[in-house]
Amino acid sequence: MKKQATILHALIPILFLLVVLSVSIFYFGADPHIPLILAIIVAALVAKFMLNYSWGEIEEGILDTIRLAMQAILILMVIGTIVGTWILSGTVPAMIYYGLQILSPSIFLLAAALICAIVSLSTGSSWTTAATVGIALMGVGKGLGIPVGMVAGAIVSGAYFGDKLSPLSETTNLAPAMAGSNLFDHIRSMAYTTLPTFGLALILYGILGIRYGSANMDTGQIQAITTAISENFNISPLLIIPPIFVIVIVVLKIPALPGLIAGTVLGGIFAAIFQGASLADIIDAAHYGLEVETGMELVDNLLSRGGLDGMMWTVSLIICALSFGGVLEKTGMLKAFAMGILKIAKSVGSLVFATTITSILVNALTADQYLALVVPGRMYKEAYKERNLPPELLSRTLEAGGTVTSALFPWNTCGAYMMATLGVSPLVYVPFAFLNILVPIVNIVFSSLGIGYKKPTGE
């Protein structure tokens, strides 16, 4: 006879994961995949020997959870091809090139956030944005005498704005898969909270940057980037058409998979027209991505990415995270953890608050933003459904609590990456990462007021 899971049962695999992830990532520099697999084994052992579940039932839970995210996994694979063809076509280089043109000494912090937002929107990657343009902007900011915490905060805010809203982002696809919403409804719902919050962040950066407006700015690094891009790609404003095309797809509510596949095809056509790429080049870029050699390391790092193969690391990590969540859910361990919180979450606002806090805690405890989307998503999905709340409310809350706060913890993979890349501890830039701090708060307030989602009957 099966036993009912308790919070103590749930804590065994969760605490084990916390320990093994911390040791593996921070002491051995390992990826989180194997620690997750070890945690899956521990969770399965708890389910088997403490809760009396059979292996068949445990495996069923794993497969059911993975099955729910298969659309997101397929979309991620297509996104790999679209990034490859968009880089080859010059679309991504053009967006970066024109984004860098808006730099102005009088509004450096505001411009830094905008540039990073443009780059991350075009690439779907906060990490790539920080490791390329972010590094250049840190150098410029230091030359101007602007505090490094302010510069890093603006970079992180801009990078996560694009990472949160771009349909090319892994987390933007994973969150709706966990909540049961679709990609474009998810993005539209997030826009209600993310756009005004980013606008407020830009105002704050503008105010902070006024005192540095009279400084002389050394734009050598920025000029070197734009020169390297223009010397290796034929840059034209027409190359902005593919991302505009994807935006139109969002507005027209065309299904994500066929829409993004069309974006890949359009990128291939533009690669042939503007860069003279052959069919073999286009297929190679879609499959394997690009290895760009411009002679400038920053540009090479920024543009050497994409392709179907380039997404396999992320896809495998998501499958591992989903498997862990599947064991916890199937055996009732997630439910036991959630029920304690749900007892005090009576209103929509309190439910959204509980979801947000849970996502932040998972970020802090497991050091992985994917788990911060998967675990709370599986925990609270039924609660939102039972209260007739739309799934996009849950998916946007997962992003507000999980995606953007991952960069605020030095021991989280995202926070550690930003610290290593920008040379600034999250503890230093947290006060100035306005988007990352404010989005969870704004989402809770707006959700309590019924803004950006269809309120249930009688609410």
Side-chain angles (χ1 to χ4, degrees):
M1 182 178 294
K2 295 182 180 64
K3 295 181 180 179
Q4 185 173 353
T6 66
I7 292 179
L8 291 177
H9 290 124
L11 285 176
I12 294 174
I14 290 174
L15 292 178
F16 176 83
L17 178 62
L18 171 63
V19 173
V20 75
L21 267 178
S22 301
V23 172
S24 298
I25 292 172
F26 299 117
Y27 285 94
F28 301 124
D31 290 328
H33 300 63
I34 301 304
L36 272 169
I37 293 174
L38 294 175
I40 294 169
I41 295 172
V42 171
L45 291 174
V46 172
K48 172 69 175 175
F49 296 105
M50 299 180 70
L51 301 176
N52 297 329
Y53 278 81
S54 68
W55 168 248
E57 291 170 321
I58 295 169
E59 186 179 72
E60 182 182 24
I62 292 173
L63 295 177
D64 286 345
T65 304
I66 293 174
R67 193 175 295 115
L68 290 173
M70 278 309 300
Q71 184 187 39
I73 291 172
L74 292 174
I75 288 174
L76 286 173
M77 294 168 67
V78 174
I79 285 172
T81 66
I82 203 174
V83 171
T85 58
W86 281 17
I87 293 176
L88 181 65
S89 68
T91 292
V92 171
M95 294 188 72
I96 296 170
Y97 178 88
Y98 291 121
L100 289 172
Q101 307 303 312
I102 68 174
L103 267 179
S104 170
S106 61
I107 53 170
F108 175 78
L109 290 173
L110 187 153
L114 277 175
I115 290 170
C116 290
I118 291 170
V119 174
S120 61
L121 274 171
S122 65
T123 63
S125 173
S126 56
W127 286 22
T128 299
T129 301
T132 51
V133 176
I135 291 175
L137 291 171
M138 285 299 298
V140 175
K142 289 178 181 178
L144 288 172
I146 301 176
V148 293
M150 291 185 184
V151 180
I155 292 169
V156 170
S157 285
Y160 273 86
F161 171 80
D163 192 293
K164 194 169 185 287
L165 286 182
S166 174
L168 304 181
S169 169
E170 296 97 330
T171 55
T172 308
N173 284 274
L174 181 59
M178 290 298 95
S181 61
N182 69 65
L183 174 63
F184 296 145
D185 284 344
H186 170 58
I187 292 175
R188 279 190 290 270
S189 184
M190 283 198 300
Y192 282 97
T193 57
T194 306
L195 292 177
T197 304
F198 190 57
L200 176 59
L202 292 178
I203 293 173
L204 294 174
Y205 290 129
I207 294 173
L208 284 176
I210 289 175
R211 61 184 296 185
Y212 304 103
S214 59
N216 295 318
M217 182 165 60
D218 178 10
T219 60
Q221 288 194 67
I222 303 299
Q223 184 62 44
I225 293 174
T226 56
T227 299
I229 289 175
S230 62
E231 288 179 349
N232 289 273
F233 294 90
N234 293 319
I235 301 299
S236 166
L238 295 176
L239 289 168
I240 309 300
I241 290 176
I244 293 176
F245 173 77
V246 172
I247 293 173
V248 172
I249 286 176
V250 174
V251 174
L252 296 179
K253 300 184 179 181
I254 296 174
L257 271 174
L260 292 175
I261 290 173
T264 299
V265 173
L266 186 60
I269 293 172
F270 274 51
I273 295 174
F274 289 93
Q275 311 303 333
S278 66
L279 180 59
D281 293 332
I282 296 170
I283 293 174
D284 194 65
H287 190 173
Y288 302 107
L290 276 80
E291 289 292 334
V292 178
E293 295 182 0
T294 65
M296 183 177 186
E297 186 177 358
L298 280 176
V299 176
D300 294 345
N301 290 337
L302 178 60
L303 301 179
S304 296
R305 61 190 304 263
L308 179 65
D309 281 5
M311 279 295 175
M312 290 302 103
W313 188 96
T314 300
V315 167
S316 61
L317 177 60
I318 290 174
I319 290 175
C320 291
L322 289 168
S323 300
F324 179 72
V327 177
L328 296 185
E329 183 192 29
K330 180 67 176 182
T331 58
M333 286 187 268
L334 276 184
K335 184 178 181 180
F337 197 84
M339 289 306 294
I341 299 176
L342 287 173
K343 288 179 180 178
I344 60 174
K346 302 298 183 182
S347 65
V348 173
S350 61
L351 179 59
V352 170
F353 176 79
T355 309
T356 304
I357 293 300
T358 303
S359 295
I360 293 174
L361 286 174
V362 173
N363 252 331
L365 293 174
T366 68
D368 187 84
Q369 68 172 345
Y370 294 115
L371 286 176
L373 301 178
V374 172
V375 174
R378 303 302 296 148
M379 284 173 60
Y380 294 111
K381 183 178 179 180
E382 288 303 315
Y384 280 74
K385 186 176 180 180
E386 289 171 1
R387 302 186 189 190
N388 295 318
L389 295 170
E392 55 267 23
L393 176 61
L394 172 57
S395 62
R396 87 176 187 190
T397 301
L398 294 175
E399 291 250 56
T403 300
V404 299
T405 64
S406 60
L408 305 182
F409 299 96
W411 56 87
N412 187 284
T413 51
C414 295
Y417 181 87
M418 292 296 168
M419 180 166 56
T421 302
L422 302 178
V424 182
S425 169
L427 299 178
V428 176
Y429 68 65
V430 160
F432 306 104
F434 298 132
L435 179 91
N436 306 65
I437 295 172
L438 294 175
V439 160
I441 299 171
V442 170
N443 182 61
I444 292 171
V445 173
F446 279 27
S447 298
S448 300
L449 298 175
I451 299 175
Y453 69 95
K454 185 177 180 180
K455 298 176 68 176
T457 303
E459 181 69 30

